[in-house]
């Protein structure tokens, strides 16, 4: 069951260009959250901006009752959020949405992240590491400064392979090119993906061609976050039928082969 609460800001700081880390005291949400879920954040105490912002849950410490967000400043709401200070409060609604399907303990898995898409995958890798899974993370960004969370993945004993568009770190090229050269993902029990939609579409095609199961976390505009406004409708194919699903309530995680990308 989701909660609405005022969470105390414990830390907030910039980690990359236009990208901020925020740590919040929210034991009720931290206790309930699973990887892939998100919180709907009220970015201001004023009426403007009116709508909350959906932000994926980046990390959780259940014993400490703490959750973390990793977000990119892309508008007024996130700009206001980045200016919060330790000791401030932020109103949260969550946890919301359907999370990732976890594999059997000890499974071999791949995690594919592009840019800020790494944000929800750290919480996922936390859980996978606790399950003693063998994890390979394919991490892509435009340049070295924009690579996110590589140290966190490494600390959790995941193998991390990096691609940058300009070649300033790791493989020169995008993460799709990297996967096509690094074939181990074909042997995995599950591949988890989050990032720009064109990247996820191409990874989904790779998975389908190799008959490898995968899940994608969609990043859609969400008005209400609870499935009432239908602003985040996405097309999903199931048993030969295409239906509209709500990314906030039916997702944001969907099987990669079910998403209609056009």
């Amino acid at each position: 069951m989701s909660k609405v609460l005022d969470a105390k800001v414990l830390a907030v700081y910039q980690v990359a260009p236009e990208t901020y880390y925020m740590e919040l005291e929210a034991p009720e949400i931290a206790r309930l959250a699973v990887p892939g879920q998100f919180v709907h954040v009220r970015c201001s105490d004023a009426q403007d901006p009116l709508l909350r912002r959906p932000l994926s849950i980046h990390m959780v410490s259940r014993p400490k009752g703490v959750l973390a967000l990793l977000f990119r400043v892309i508008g007024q709401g996130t700009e206001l959020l980045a200016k919060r200070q330790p000791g401030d409060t932020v109103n949260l609604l969550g946890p919301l949405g359907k999370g990732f399907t976890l594999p059997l303990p000890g499974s071999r898995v791949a995690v594919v992240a592009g840019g800020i898409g790494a944000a929800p995958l750290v919480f996922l890798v936390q859980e996978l590491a606790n399950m003693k899974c063998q994890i390979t993370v394919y991490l892509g960004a435009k340049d070295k400064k924009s690579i996110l969370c590589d140290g966190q993945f490494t600390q959790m004993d995941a193998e991390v392979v990096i691609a940058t568009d300009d070649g300033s770190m790791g493989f020169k090229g995008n993460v799709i090119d990297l996967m096509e050269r690094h074939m181990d993902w074909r042997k995995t029990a599950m591949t988890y993906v989050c990032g720009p939609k064109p990247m996820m579409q191409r990874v989904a095609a790779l998975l389908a061609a190799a008959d490898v199961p995968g899940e994608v976390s969609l990043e859609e505009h969400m008005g209400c976050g609870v499935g009432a406004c239908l602003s985040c409708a996405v097309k999903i194919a199931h048993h030969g039928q295409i239906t509209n699903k709500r990314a906030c309530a039916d997702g944001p995680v969907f099987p990669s082969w079910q998403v209609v990308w056009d």
Side-chain angles (χ1 to χ4, degrees):
M1 181 177 291
S2 301
K3 306 289 184 181
V4 181
L5 53 82
D6 289 325
K8 181 180 178 181
V9 177
L10 302 176
V12 57
Y13 51 85
Q14 189 171 3
V15 297
E18 301 176 338
T19 306
Y20 288 79
Y21 172 89
M22 175 177 280
E23 203 168 84
L24 297 156
E25 185 178 69
E28 296 93 338
I29 295 177
R31 176 172 53 84
L32 296 171
V34 298
Q37 289 188 301
F38 66 96
V39 289
H40 223 201
V41 182
R42 187 174 180 182
C43 298
S44 169
D45 295 330
Q47 292 299 311
D48 184 27
L50 179 62
L51 296 179
R52 293 171 178 264
R53 298 293 186 271
L55 296 176
S56 59
I57 298 174
H58 173 55
M59 289 196 302
V60 160
S61 172
R62 296 188 181 98
K64 295 180 179 178
V66 170
L67 66 84
L69 308 175
L70 186 69
F71 60 94
R72 181 160 291 165
V73 173
I74 56 174
Q76 182 188 11
T78 45
E79 184 175 356
L80 290 169
L81 197 62
K83 293 178 180 177
R84 296 296 180 99
Q85 298 294 319
D88 291 348
T89 59
V90 174
N91 189 266
L92 303 179
L93 167 62
L96 296 172
K98 171 181 168 291
F100 292 105
T101 303
L102 297 178
L104 294 173
S107 296
R108 187 172 188 172
V109 300
V111 175
V112 186
I116 194 64
L121 299 176
V122 172
F123 186 14
L124 172 66
V125 170
Q126 274 188 303
E127 293 293 293
L128 295 172
N130 290 336
M131 298 169 63
K132 308 299 182 186
C133 291
Q134 302 174 63
I135 310 160
T136 300
V137 178
Y138 299 87
L139 197 54
K142 62 180 182 180
D143 54 35
K144 181 178 180 179
K145 291 181 179 179
S146 302
I147 286 290
L148 298 173
C149 310
D150 52 322
Q152 291 164 287
F153 291 130
T154 301
Q155 288 175 4
M156 293 185 283
D157 291 330
E159 178 191 12
V160 179
V161 283
I162 291 173
T164 51
D165 294 345
D166 66 355
S168 55
M169 187 175 185
F171 173 80
K172 184 176 182 180
N174 62 44
V175 76
I176 312 296
D177 298 330
L178 176 63
M179 288 183 68
E180 288 177 334
R181 287 163 173 76
H182 197 279
M183 306 295 283
D184 285 356
W185 58 270
R186 293 174 180 267
K187 305 171 185 175
T188 58
M190 180 67 84
T191 294
Y192 304 94
V193 191
C194 189
K197 187 170 287 186
M199 184 211 85
M200 290 196 291
Q201 181 176 2
R202 290 189 60 191
V203 174
L206 281 179
L207 298 178
D211 197 25
V212 173
E215 289 187 336
V216 296
S217 179
L218 300 181
E219 297 178 332
E220 301 293 325
H221 293 292
M222 299 176 185
C224 70
V226 295
C229 71
L230 304 180
S231 64
C232 61
V234 294
K235 292 182 179 179
I236 298 296
H238 188 57
H239 294 307
Q241 300 291 324
I242 296 177
T243 59
N244 287 322
K245 295 288 187 181
R246 304 160 300 177
C248 66
D250 301 313
V253 175
F254 293 95
S256 58
W257 64 91
Q258 287 187 351
V259 178
V260 179
W261 298 98
D262 295 334

